[in-house]
Amino acid sequence: MNKNILFLENFYTLLNAGYSVEETLELCKNIIDISIVDQLIGNLKSGDDIYSCILSAPFPKIFKEYFSFYQTKNCLSDAIEKSLKVYQTKENFQNQLKSKMTYPCVLLLFLFFFSIFVVAILLPNVNHLFESFDIQKSLFTQFLFLIFHIFPVFILILFIVFIFLIIRLLYGLKYKKFKIIEHYLEFPIISTILQKYFSLKFAVYYHELAMEDMDSAMIIDVLNKQMNESDIKIVLYEMNNRMLEGEAIETLLEDFEYLDHLFLIFFKMYIKNPQQYQSIEHYIQLTYQEIDYWISQFIKYFVPCVYAFVALFVITIYISIIIPMMNVVSEI
């Protein structure tokens, strides 16, 4: 476990036990050797409050984003615990995906380098061997050789395009570029992922303020003013502007492209009965379950496809190169 995360767990646990901030930091300093504790102690002695100290410390970005929200709604220990829970949920999903995707990705990487070896070394030698024995390649063999030459270039281009799209999307989210996000929302699969992402974030923030008996207009106004550093600002800004123009929240949600259909159903239930906080909470729980299901399904189909593709590539090499070479050798 990351030392910073371990420190945060110890920090809020000791605060819940009744120790003061200063006592808690001294205890944490003796529990785990970590420079961040000395940094926090130094900042506190300089006159900074503990909330500012935590936000300026090198903790994960998503933890600090949620902490900046929860710090005004909860006590220090609760703000840390809730923010840490969101961060750890995200990390668990990422780790689950990484652990199951590592081997297939390594296999694809090996296949890419092997295809370069085939094109750069194996095929020239095979061609030279064929020419030496005056053997004419069949149309099928020529076609396969062409595919071998195209394959590494195709994979490289595909990888570059994929990385470019990911970087552009992250750039759009980080700097809240509406045009870029709206462009990505035009693609079905990416649109579904983005809608889930925005809906889950919005639901977490909204649910926390709804517990304070604030109405929808006030909640969206508060979030729009408070969440300037978060990418959820993309959603809040448009919602707030449309509500200022006199559009009712029930109406604007009918065609609001940033939120997914399941959230809209739960949210409409909540609008009908604002005391039913469970509607938003149920959506959050179901979304986490749905994400877990998506990951399992993706891995279920992706991994066998990778294995099948690698097997097909190896068999193709055997048919087009190895067998003809063996025939030439047998004729010597």
Side-chain angles (χ1 to χ4, degrees):
M1 180 185 291
N2 185 293
K3 282 188 175 183
N4 289 348
I5 302 304
L6 183 59
F7 160 71
L8 288 171
E9 289 183 343
N10 290 330
F11 192 43
Y12 80 73
T13 301
L14 290 170
L15 286 173
N16 282 333
Y19 294 98
S20 68
V21 172
E22 291 77 9
E23 290 172 336
T24 299
L25 288 173
E26 286 297 331
L27 288 169
C28 288
K29 186 176 180 180
N30 288 279
I31 293 172
I32 181 171
D33 182 21
I34 183 172
S35 60
I36 202 169
V37 178
D38 294 323
Q39 179 183 331
L40 290 172
I41 293 174
N43 290 341
L44 283 174
K45 289 180 179 178
S46 300
D48 297 334
D49 65 86
I50 185 60
Y51 294 98
S52 299
C53 294
I54 290 175
L55 288 173
S56 62
F59 293 120
K61 181 182 177 182
I62 191 169
F63 165 80
K64 292 198 289 186
E65 179 182 328
Y66 280 91
F67 181 76
S68 66
F69 171 76
Y70 284 124
Q71 66 173 329
T72 59
K73 314 301 173 190
N74 300 273
C75 67
L76 177 59
S77 59
D78 285 344
I80 295 173
E81 184 176 4
K82 288 184 176 182
S83 304
L84 196 57
K85 182 179 179 181
V86 174
Y87 166 76
Q88 289 175 326
T89 300
K90 169 183 168 289
E91 285 295 296
N92 287 337
F93 284 128
Q94 283 187 344
N95 291 336
Q96 178 185 347
L97 188 60
K98 286 177 184 176
S99 64
K100 295 183 179 180
M101 291 292 291
T102 299
Y103 183 69
C105 288
V106 169
L107 200 59
L108 284 175
L109 186 64
F110 166 78
L111 184 61
F112 172 71
F113 285 111
F114 182 63
S115 66
I116 293 176
F117 166 77
V118 169
V119 170
I121 299 175
L122 190 57
L123 288 185
N125 288 330
V126 171
N127 283 326
H128 179 70
L129 185 63
F130 283 177
E131 290 171 2
S132 302
F133 288 89
D134 196 24
I135 298 174
Q136 296 296 321
K137 295 191 291 290
S138 66
L139 289 176
F140 178 70
T141 303
Q142 292 179 39
F143 173 74
L144 290 179
F145 278 28
L146 178 62
I147 295 297
F148 290 145
H149 280 92
I150 294 174
F151 179 77
V153 178
F154 173 75
I155 293 296
L156 186 60
I157 293 174
L158 200 64
F159 178 75
I160 292 173
V161 170
F162 177 76
I163 295 298
F164 170 76
L165 291 174
I166 293 295
I167 291 175
R168 187 167 181 262
L169 176 59
L170 294 176
Y171 171 80
L173 289 171
K174 182 177 181 180
Y175 295 101
K176 296 172 278 294
K177 301 293 183 180
F178 294 86
K179 296 293 183 182
I180 294 177
I181 302 303
E182 288 174 358
H183 177 69
Y184 277 91
L185 287 170
E186 296 174 2
F187 301 96
I189 296 178
I190 301 177
S191 173
T192 301
I193 295 172
L194 282 174
Q195 285 174 344
K196 282 293 179 187
Y197 174 76
F198 285 129
S199 297
L200 184 58
K201 260 195 168 182
F202 179 73
V204 171
Y205 291 134
Y206 191 99
H207 180 258
E208 189 68 23
L209 292 179
M211 297 292 288
E212 299 180 12
D213 293 324
M214 299 172 64
D215 61 36
S216 297
M218 186 180 296
I219 290 174
I220 292 171
D221 180 60
V222 169
L223 288 174
N224 185 55
K225 292 176 180 177
Q226 184 176 344
M227 307 306 297
N228 290 320
E229 301 303 318
S230 173
D231 49 26
I232 195 67
K233 179 73 174 181
I234 297 172
V235 176
L236 298 169
Y237 178 80
E238 183 170 341
M239 291 182 74
N240 190 61
N241 282 353
R242 290 174 65 172
M243 292 182 70
L244 289 175
E245 292 172 359
E247 193 171 354
I249 188 166
E250 296 90 342
T251 306
L252 77 87
L253 290 178
E254 290 294 336
D255 61 344
F256 200 66
E257 60 183 346
Y258 292 103
L259 302 177
D260 78 290
H261 182 66
L262 182 61
F263 174 76
L264 297 181
I265 293 174
F266 277 104
F267 194 77
K268 287 174 183 177
M269 291 179 183
Y270 166 76
I271 294 295
K272 290 179 181 178
N273 182 11
Q275 299 303 316
Q276 193 176 1
Y277 302 116
Q278 296 90 341
S279 296
I280 306 297
E281 188 175 351
H282 288 163
Y283 170 77
I284 296 171
Q285 294 172 352
L286 287 172
T287 300
Y288 282 136
Q289 293 173 6
E290 192 173 6
I291 292 172
D292 186 57
Y293 174 77
W294 281 1
I295 292 173
S296 299
Q297 288 297 108
F298 175 74
I299 292 170
K300 177 182 176 181
Y301 292 105
F302 178 76
V303 173
C305 286
V306 171
Y307 292 157
F309 185 75
V310 171
L312 180 63
F313 188 81
V314 173
I315 291 170
T316 304
I317 290 177
Y318 182 78
I319 293 173
S320 61
I321 298 177
I322 305 301
I323 291 179
M325 287 180 62
M326 291 175 64
N327 291 335
V328 169
V329 171
S330 64
E331 293 176 2
I332 298 176

